[in-house]
Amino acid sequence: MGSGGQSPPAPDAFHCFCNPSFDFAGGDCYLGQVGHGIGQDLPGTRVPDGREPAPSGLDVEILLTEVDRVRLLRAEARRGLTATPKQLPPKWFYDERGSRLFEAITREPEYYLTRREREILGAHAADIARTTRAETLVELGSGSSEKTRLLLDTLRAEGSLRRFMPFDVCLPAVADAAASLRRDYPGLDIKAVVGDFNEHVRFLPRTPAGGSRLVAFLGSTIGNFDEGERARFFAALRVVLRPGDWFLLGADLVKSKRRLDAAYNDAAGVTVEFNKNVLRVLNRDLRATFDEALFDHVAAYDRERELVDIRLRARAAHEVKVRALGLTVSFAAGEEMRTEISVKFTRAGLEKALRAAGFSRARFWTDRAKDFSLSLWQVR
Ligand code: AVJ
């Protein structure tokens, strides 16, 4: 990456929002993404073995390169499509279209999660700021920065805030978040990190000793982890945090099957499109031949396991080629492939998991309807 004043050329087709693109011409897809996201700030971008201070004040640390991501998609697709039962990890929903579809889901009347979390944050962001007096806000999986702003505003009013670190698997997401926040929060030191928070949380960049950090993980993204992944994630996070640091977790709560089934089967059908988007991603990025019309969206709350199980069910027996993997995959009529789990929590379950990882609880809030939870954890 050059250090001249020139912006890299904008990509022709920007479709690499939160997943790798395989048709990036001339190598590294980040070039195009940075052009899309932050333009002149490219010289500030640094990689772990090429550290360079950002002349622009914007700083992006890349823990997961495009090459790593490509390798990961191939490996996970091969593993999942050859397993019994078949499955695909939910992170591959989120290309640019998938991210837009998820944003659309959050506006559907049945999908209460986002509205409830916003209600809680609106009511308690000032308390969070007063309690933590955090100097650094780290946001894991920093999607839309709307809810983040509630925290930035109250932390700033508290006078403690110095630094914001959006941490996401996707460079354009962190770069866009950083660029727009930089306009609205002059003087705020923004350090963006590109990584897979499930794997790279232990590499969270250090901040100058003294100031406390608040790590926010919102939106019930934690629901995509199974029990083992969740325990490993909390433990890894606990290891990087220091006494005086804080963890803010947004987690959806167990409720009636009727409401959960409705939330994941919205009448407008946006969730159907979102679920099938993973097939488009595989078609585009692994040159696969999935036909969306041959699959049905299936999502049902499992009371025993306290999770919504989300799948794609083949309508008829057929074969799919995944050319980039040299793989032919056979589906039986009615065969189901899991694309996501969305675990629902109880207060007791959350406390048990976080205590086991070494956190102690400072606060636990719900919205008025007790649909969603926001909890603040302390490292002592
Ligand atoms: C982004 C993982 C929190 O599980 O509710 C929404 C994703 N999937 N509708 C969720 C999702 C189907 C969402 N999370």
Side-chain angles (χ1 to χ4, degrees):
M1 295 195 214
S3 56
Q6 270 173 297
S7 290
D12 292 336
F14 178 78
H15 59 69
C16 187
F17 187 71
C18 272
N19 80 321
S21 153
F22 288 76
D23 47 345
F24 43 97
D28 194 326
C29 162
Y30 283 133
L31 208 58
Q33 294 183 17
V34 172
H36 169 84
I38 52 178
Q40 300 283 12
D41 295 320
L42 180 62
T45 303
R46 54 182 193 166
V47 293
D49 52 352
R51 282 168 202 283
E52 179 186 313
S56 58
L58 189 113
D59 198 342
V60 178
E61 177 134 17
I62 295 170
L63 299 175
L64 183 77
T65 67
E66 188 57 28
V67 173
D68 300 328
R69 290 162 51 78
V70 168
R71 212 175 276 142
L72 193 63
L73 173 61
R74 286 168 169 270
E76 293 191 346
R78 183 185 296 280
R79 198 181 312 129
L81 292 171
T82 57
T84 312
K86 295 181 179 62
Q87 54 177 326
L88 291 169
K91 65 169 92 88
W92 307 112
F93 286 133
Y94 299 95
D95 65 345
E96 191 175 20
R97 180 173 181 268
S99 299
R100 267 207 307 272
L101 285 167
F102 176 67
E103 291 298 319
I105 287 174
T106 67
R107 292 188 293 267
E108 288 305 307
E110 299 93 337
Y111 195 79
Y112 56 86
L113 290 80
T114 313
R115 283 184 294 276
R116 297 303 194 229
E117 186 176 55
R118 194 182 301 128
E119 177 189 326
I120 306 172
L121 264 175
H124 302 291
D127 190 3
I128 294 165
R130 221 179 301 119
T131 304
T132 64
R133 291 198 45 83
E135 188 182 293
T136 299
L137 174 65
V138 180
E139 186 178 20
L140 303 180
S142 45
S144 109
S145 52
E146 186 208 333
K147 283 176 281 187
T148 314
R149 284 167 187 260
L150 286 169
L151 289 170
L152 290 172
D153 289 342
T154 54
L155 285 167
R156 181 178 251 207
E158 193 60 37
S160 62
L161 184 68
R162 304 273 288 273
R163 198 173 300 102
F164 176 55
M165 290 186 171
F167 190 114
D168 202 285
V169 70
C170 168
L171 179 64
V174 292
D176 283 348
S180 88
L181 290 168
R182 233 166 113 229
R183 282 190 294 273
D184 299 343
Y185 296 85
L188 183 65
D189 174 17
I190 297 174
K191 293 207 188 309
V193 185
V194 178
D196 177 344
F197 48 70
N198 209 4
E199 298 217 354
H200 296 117
V201 95
R202 62 207 152 98
F203 297 124
L204 259 192
R206 301 208 155 270
T207 51
S212 81
R213 296 177 295 184
L214 169 60
V215 176
F217 191 33
L218 302 177
S220 207
T221 304
I222 190 71
N224 276 165
F225 297 0
D226 67 27
E227 201 178 339
E229 290 167 336
R230 208 158 56 231
R232 279 194 294 281
F233 172 78
F234 289 148
L237 180 63
R238 173 64 189 81
V239 165
V240 293
L241 296 184
R242 297 174 298 221
D245 286 343
W246 303 83
F247 177 45
L248 182 67
L249 178 66
D252 195 21
L253 298 173
V254 164
K255 58 183 55 64
S256 76
K257 177 168 169 60
R258 178 184 53 82
R259 288 192 56 215
L260 286 166
D261 286 352
Y264 291 84
N265 292 278
D266 62 294
V270 185
T271 310
V272 178
E273 291 299 304
F274 173 77
N275 193 7
K276 290 186 176 186
N277 193 57
V278 71
L279 303 180
R280 290 197 190 203
V281 168
L282 294 187
N283 285 353
R284 185 188 62 220
D285 293 340
L286 298 185
R287 290 179 291 124
T289 62
F290 282 99
D291 179 355
E292 284 178 52
L294 283 175
F295 289 90
D296 287 316
H297 164 76
V298 184
Y301 181 59
D302 180 331
R303 284 195 187 91
E304 240 91 278
R305 291 183 302 153
E306 298 183 327
L307 57 82
V308 181
D309 206 331
I310 300 163
R311 298 160 184 228
L312 289 169
R313 180 191 289 149
R315 284 187 191 162
H318 69 286
E319 285 192 341
V320 176
K321 287 201 166 57
V322 188
R323 294 192 205 98
L325 299 177
L327 192 68
T328 301
V329 185
S330 307
F331 285 87
E335 182 174 347
E336 293 183 352
M337 171 166 69
R338 173 181 289 148
T339 50
E340 185 176 31
I341 56 169
S342 189
V343 177
K344 303 304 161 187
F345 300 91
T346 60
R347 177 175 177 153
L350 286 168
E351 297 212 345
K352 195 172 166 212
L354 281 140
R355 289 240 163 84
F359 289 91
S360 38
R361 180 172 52 76
R363 297 277 197 290
F364 190 97
W365 299 284
T366 70
D367 56 289
R368 282 160 298 177
K370 296 189 164 58
D371 283 339
F372 200 91
S373 72
L374 192 67
S375 48
L376 182 64
W377 304 86
Q378 192 172 10
V379 176
R380 286 203 241 255

